[in-house]
Amino acid sequence: MIDVKGVSVFPEALDAAEQAALVDKLRGVAQVAPLFAPETRFGKKMSVRMTSAGSCGWVSDRRGYRYEPTHPSGQDWPGIPDLLLEIWRAVVPEARPPDTALVNFYGDGAKMGMHQDRDEADFTQPVVSISLGDEALFRVGGTERGGKTESCWLRSGDVVVIGGAARLAYHGIDRVKHGSSMLLPQGGRINVTMRVVT
Ligand code: SIN
Ligand code: MN
């Protein structure tokens, strides 16, 4: 385990077969609930495309950041694949089951600005993040914006736990090395974050 300002990074927690199986499950999720590029609350289109699985899913538009019971199309979000729930139980056995799995797809040039995950009700519950595909430079700060930060590369199969004192740590993705992994035939990176929302 690597500690990045209180955030726990478990390199290569998932082997190649598990990564491939997960990609397959996530394709199924995106077939039911297609990826979309949300706008920030300031009206700027995000470079990351997203979808969700679970009883609710994270959405963003000019009305703000929130969880909604349906995809923007009105369709229910698909269930969280068992494979993801198994990873959650293995990594954070003491936590309540997750309500949602947010799936982020980073194509060439996509990144994510520093932010806190704070649209959930219970910050005693961790966020578990899974990286698949291309390598990404992950930056972690403190619980206040603008403090000192540390970075590490996240690679395919790495699992990250954002919990405890670091649950509200600022974090973001500075850049993705497009084509650095063979997992996705067209390149790109998938990140899945499971969260307890209520
Ligand atoms: C996120 O903060 O929602 C995504 C983090 C990542 O892509 O690793
Ligand atoms: Mn986040």
Side-chain angles (χ1 to χ4, degrees):
M1 192 269 281
I2 301 167
D3 185 297
V4 187
K5 291 186 79 72
V7 168
S8 304
V9 177
F10 298 91
E12 288 177 79
L14 307 178
D15 66 24
E18 288 169 315
Q19 294 171 39
L22 208 43
V23 170
D24 202 54
K25 296 291 175 200
L26 296 172
R27 281 192 212 288
V29 168
Q31 258 156 26
V32 177
L35 293 166
F36 57 97
E39 283 188 350
T40 67
R41 60 198 158 92
F42 311 108
K44 191 171 184 293
K45 217 179 190 53
M46 293 187 186
S47 57
V48 172
R49 292 189 295 145
M50 315 183 165
T51 190
S52 291
S55 58
C56 58
W58 190 83
V59 300
S60 166
D61 55 28
R62 285 165 196 261
R63 285 165 51 210
Y65 307 140
R66 63 197 183 274
Y67 288 96
E68 291 279 3
T70 57
H71 184 273
S73 65
Q75 156 80 45
D76 282 348
W77 305 104
I80 301 178
D82 283 338
L83 199 48
L84 282 175
L85 295 173
E86 284 165 23
I87 296 168
W88 175 274
R89 285 193 291 265
V91 179
V92 288
E94 65 295 335
R96 287 161 52 206
D99 298 305
T100 191
L102 171 63
V103 183
N104 289 153
F105 178 77
Y106 296 74
D108 200 1
K111 56 191 176 177
M112 188 177 290
M114 294 293 279
H115 65 278
Q116 293 172 298
D117 289 0
R118 55 174 311 147
D119 302 318
E120 302 76 30
D122 183 356
F123 298 136
T124 68
Q125 298 300 304
V127 172
V128 172
S129 146
I130 300 166
S131 292
L132 297 165
D134 289 339
E135 298 174 16
L137 189 57
F138 179 55
R139 183 187 292 274
V140 182
T143 54
E144 309 273 331
R145 190 180 277 285
K148 199 170 161 288
T149 65
E150 275 176 36
S151 299
C152 82
W153 285 94
L154 293 181
R155 299 187 175 84
S156 199
D158 293 358
V159 172
V160 174
V161 178
I162 304 177
R167 174 61 181 78
L168 289 173
Y170 276 86
H171 59 278
I173 295 293
D174 287 349
R175 59 195 161 94
V176 174
K177 249 190 237 171
H178 192 75
S180 54
S181 158
M182 302 295 281
L183 184 67
L184 304 173
Q186 316 285 334
R189 172 175 187 259
I190 300 171
N191 174 262
V192 183
T193 46
M194 287 182 273
R195 298 118 187 262
V196 175
V197 174
T198 54

